[in-house]
Amino acid sequence: MLTDLSTKEIWFITGSQHLYGPETLAQVAEHSQKIVEAFGQSSLIPVKIVWKPTVKTTDEIYETLMAANHAPDCIGIITWMHTFSPAKMWIRGLSALQKPMLHLHTQFNQDIPWSTMDMDFMNLNQAAHGDREFGFMVSRLRKNRKVVVGHWAEERVQKQIGEWTRVAAGWDDWQGAKFARFGDNMRYVAVTDGDKVEAETKFGFSVNTWGIGDLVSVVNSIGEGEVKTLIEEYEASYNMAASLLAGGANRKSLETAARIELGLEKFLVDGNFKGFSDTFEDLHGIEQLPGIAVQRLMAKGYGFAGEGDWKTAALVRAMKIMGQGLEGGNAFMEDYTYHLNPSNPSILGSHMLEVDPVLAVNKPSCEIHPLGIGGKADPVRLVFNSRGNIDSLVAALMDFGNHFRLLINKTKALDITEEMPNLPVARVLWKPLPDLYTAAEAWILAGGAHHTCYSENLSVEQLEDFAGIAGIESLVIDEDTKIRDFKNTINWNEIYYR
Ligand code: MN
């Protein structure tokens, strides 16, 4: 249910002007085609890079950028000024551009050819000043863009471009996306709520509510055969608790759980939804809180967050798109409880049921246990530990009334070495950077949510770029965070985003 990134296009647009004559312009075209070819062969760039003819006039620029706006598979553009492209020519096009932009500040040749260099060479290889002229205009127009600097054949440069194309894909996925809410937010909870009209205006996705009864009727329409087939899949994929096996005391509950999963998935597929949220306070007609159902749908690529938290559901979805095909996963998470021992302060992340098995280090076990809240039948869930010893991060999206804030904390995933025989949910253990005390203080000062998306394969830079495309604030807590500076940043941003 995740879109195939290789079907998405980034248009490579080279700027120039007629002043240089046809011979130089032919070389410009040839060089830009070589760069696009190299990007096409790079395993670091997951999308198609599509070469476009050199733009040399105000009209050519406008027409190319408008075409990018309208091309459904085009998720962004890369611009490069091999020669000089007087930037007033870009005003009309850039003002109309609606897709994310990466400005590649590169040069066709890596080294200066000291002994052979003449004025023809100087005429052609002008990015050092041509890209500055272009950069001025983008800044003058107050347009967001990513700037990547370095020789195009370098792995570092291709990696940075590739990571940005993932960000553009996440943004593209949000445009027109639909998220379903079953029920409202958990009663009285603040941080998970927000302005859905403003979110749709800013982010491009819509959030609407469906009565739980609409879902119940789909769940009840699922046939025995489908339930049987899905249970076979469970049995092949997980270590099953004895009571859930055929003839076991809780076999009926497993059938109910499977029917809920099939019904939920059918509802989401039929409605073309990319994610959803539910709330345990409004599940009339659903026999047990969806546990394994939600877990498996998240692993398939649906965005989800509990208790009506539609912002986190949408964030999880976008981050899943960005991380697609990489090692590790992106998953709905909640800071659950602390280990405050000064020798190794750390955070145990979990949820009451809905932890995404993309994080599982081992084969999950499929279990059934009572749930203290919700007043429903015992829910079936997958229990597992997460991977340790990797660089990870958590990100949260909050609505501050006058603006949205994306808060990012770098984390280090820890191996879970202790047994937790009485804890019947999946768990994740990490140490936030720079340390738990500073990170949690900064997180609280920034009004960070308890719900996050936990990522094993995205970078802080990617999420900052994502916030940049959305035009919202991003705040980072990492190894360099100092509380005094962090407070100042919050205060200054408060003015900037007013
Ligand atoms: Mn929660």
Side-chain angles (χ1 to χ4, degrees), residues 6 12 23 31 69 115 130 138 147 268 303 332 370 437 460-461 467:
S6 67
F12 192 98
E23 205 180 310
H31 289 171
N69 280 345
S115 60
V138 187
V147 180
L268 296 171
F332 168 50
Y437 311 117
V460 167
E461 183 178 335

Side-chain angles (χ1 to χ4, degrees), residues 315-495:
L315 182 65
V316 167
R317 166 67 186 189
M319 289 172 69
K320 280 178 177 290
I321 293 286
M322 291 186 232
Q324 205 186 328
L326 300 173
E327 288 270 312
N330 290 277
F332 168 50
M333 190 53 55
E334 178 163 332
D335 298 79
Y336 233 90
T337 200
Y338 289 139
H339 187 62
L340 281 180
N341 189 307
S343 68
N344 57 341
S346 45
I347 299 178
L348 187 80
S350 189
H351 206 258
M352 57 185 178
L353 290 174
E354 309 95 333
V355 187
D356 190 333
V358 294
L359 300 180
V361 70
N362 45 16
K363 189 177 184 178
S365 54
C366 183
E367 304 178 14
I368 180 163
H369 303 275
L371 192 68
I373 49 178
K376 291 274 162 186
D378 299 353
V380 177
R381 81 288 306 273
L382 298 173
V383 180
F384 54 86
N385 287 342
S386 65
R387 286 176 280 269
N389 198 29
I390 42 174
D391 293 325
S392 51
L393 59 79
V394 288
L397 183 61
M398 288 77 59
D399 182 350
F400 278 85
N402 56 356
H403 73 285
F404 289 97
R405 170 177 293 158
L406 185 67
L407 180 62
I408 308 147
N409 189 184
K410 264 195 188 177
T411 52
K412 181 86 185 174
L414 303 175
D415 284 318
I416 297 175
T417 52
E418 302 287 339
E419 295 291 323
M420 290 169 266
N422 298 321
L423 186 73
V425 287
R427 54 303 265 241
V428 183
L429 188 67
W430 68 83
K431 172 185 136 48
L433 270 56
D435 57 76
L436 187 143
Y437 311 117
T438 310
E441 183 179 350
W443 190 274
I444 301 270
L445 287 170
H450 53 281
H451 282 172
T452 59
C453 182
Y454 176 84
S455 177
E456 296 176 315
N457 55 26
L458 297 177
S459 68
V460 167
E461 183 178 335
Q462 283 177 298
L463 291 178
E464 289 180 291
D465 289 343
F466 189 69
I469 291 170
I472 65 163
E473 178 191 16
S474 58
L475 280 177
V476 177
I477 305 166
D478 64 6
E479 61 274 24
D480 297 325
T481 294
K482 298 266 185 297
I483 290 297
R484 184 182 301 144
D485 299 337
F486 192 75
K487 279 183 185 167
N488 282 336
T489 306
I490 291 173
N491 290 338
W492 296 332
N493 284 1
E494 195 61 52
I495 295 164

Side-chain angles (χ1 to χ4, degrees), residues 13-124:
I13 300 167
T14 310
S16 189
Q17 59 179 330
H18 281 296
L19 183 76
Y20 304 105
E23 205 180 310
T24 301
L25 287 174
Q27 280 178 293
V28 168
E30 189 194 322
H31 289 171
S32 58
Q33 276 166 315
K34 278 197 177 135
I35 294 175
V36 169
E37 210 175 294
F39 288 173
Q41 282 159 9
S42 171
S43 61
L44 297 165
I45 301 176
V47 305
K48 258 188 280 183
I49 307 291
V50 177
W51 181 84
K52 290 288 158 184
T54 312
V55 289
K56 305 165 295 290
T57 64
T58 304
D59 288 344
E60 284 175 6
I61 290 166
Y62 178 75
E63 279 153 23
T64 304
L65 298 193
M66 286 301 279
N69 280 345
H70 291 134
D73 288 330
C74 173
I75 61 170
I77 64 167
I78 295 175
T79 53
W80 174 50
M81 308 303 124
H82 188 354
T83 53
F84 200 77
S85 179
K88 285 186 199 169
M89 297 194 306
W90 285 85
I91 293 174
R92 185 157 178 250
L94 285 177
S95 300
L97 180 67
Q98 288 166 342
K99 300 239 163 134
M101 174 167 64
L102 182 148
H103 179 191
L104 176 60
H105 186 40
T106 192
Q107 188 169 273
F108 186 69
N109 55 302
Q110 178 186 275
D111 296 350
I112 292 180
W114 307 102
S115 60
T116 59
M117 184 165 51
D118 57 13
M119 277 321 285
D120 285 347
F121 179 88
M122 294 286 264
N123 254 341
L124 180 62

